[in-house]
Amino acid sequence: IGTNDFLLDGQRFQIRCGEIHAPRVPPEYWRHRLQMAKAMGLNTVCAYLFWNMHEPRPGEFNWSGPADAAEFCRLAQEEGLWVILRPGPYACAEWEMGGFPWWLLKHDDIKLRTRDPRYLDAVKRYMREVGRVLGSQQVTKGGPILMVQVENEYGFYGKDAEYMGELRQVLLDSGFDVPLFACNPKDHL
């Protein structure tokens, strides 16, 4: 990140990005959708991860079929596109429970999107797995992932900057070394 611009290989880089929610598109159409995004003039796609797809039960992870985020990123790179990764833990995107897995609610009094240790421990396990699967896809390692989002529009929900700091640290501890960002209006957090 330069003084006034994003930089790629030391050169000014304008990110022209659109969303493609891979799980909403059959995998056999991913390449075609990416080609259409490129044909529209985009150079980057945002890729949400939906936690409930990737960890349907505590500690059981799924990265196959519509949940194969690594393959989606590989295809994006093959098609000459960069990726902005939005791993959650909360995604929203009008996805069931914002992407949270159902099993979090087995604790009647759990506080989601807070520093509740039961929630954060689950987030840490999930993000470590995300780092294991997608960490090698970062631009710093030759992959297409330029940036990673910390949470999703948290400022519309809460005001706990320490919570956001914890999530930032979780991503760092999970091996992410590209720029991290958050989508929040400046007066919301």
Side-chain angles (χ1 to χ4, degrees):
I1 298 176
T3 305
N4 297 311
D5 301 296
F6 290 112
L7 305 174
L8 186 60
D9 296 328
Q11 301 298 311
R12 186 172 172 258
F13 181 70
Q14 182 181 42
I15 297 172
R16 294 183 314 274
C17 187
E19 293 276 341
I20 298 180
H21 302 167
R24 289 184 162 128
V25 178
E28 56 269 20
Y29 297 140
W30 286 351
R31 183 179 299 277
H32 182 251
R33 296 303 187 275
L34 291 164
Q35 290 169 342
M36 290 193 316
K38 177 110 181 194
M40 286 180 8
L42 302 181
N43 60 15
T44 307
V45 292
C46 275
Y48 269 122
L49 300 184
F50 300 109
W51 184 2
N52 57 8
M53 281 194 79
H54 298 293
E55 192 177 6
R57 281 172 286 298
E60 293 181 22
F61 295 100
N62 172 30
W63 297 99
S64 63
D68 193 348
E71 177 63 12
F72 181 80
C73 290
R74 279 190 291 277
L75 289 172
Q77 187 172 31
E78 285 178 13
E79 295 302 326
L81 292 164
W82 301 101
V83 174
I84 294 176
L85 184 65
R86 301 176 79 182
Y90 178 75
C92 187
E94 292 66 51
W95 190 268
E96 179 183 353
M97 215 167 98
F100 283 140
W102 64 271
W103 46 263
L104 286 172
L105 299 180
K106 289 174 98 175
H107 305 283
D108 290 338
D109 60 341
I110 194 168
K111 304 276 190 287
L112 304 177
R113 300 180 87 183
T114 71
R115 289 178 281 147
D116 182 322
R118 296 165 299 177
Y119 170 70
L120 279 181
D121 287 347
V123 167
K124 289 174 186 176
R125 180 182 61 234
Y126 165 63
M127 287 300 177
R128 277 193 306 269
E129 177 69 3
V130 170
R132 183 190 72 76
V133 172
L134 294 173
S136 65
Q137 298 252 6
Q138 296 174 90
V139 67
T140 52
K141 295 169 179 58
I145 297 173
L146 292 176
M147 299 177 6
V148 176
Q149 183 182 26
V150 180
E151 245 288 8
N152 183 54
E153 299 172 352
Y154 176 73
F156 289 108
Y157 175 82
K159 305 287 183 223
D160 188 351
E162 288 182 39
Y163 165 72
M164 288 295 288
E166 291 231 15
L167 288 185
R168 175 186 175 275
Q169 191 60 51
V170 167
L171 285 166
L172 294 172
D173 293 345
S174 297
F176 288 98
D177 59 7
V178 294
L180 304 177
F181 72 99
C183 295
N184 292 299
K186 63 182 178 178
D187 58 341
H188 278 68
L189 183 65

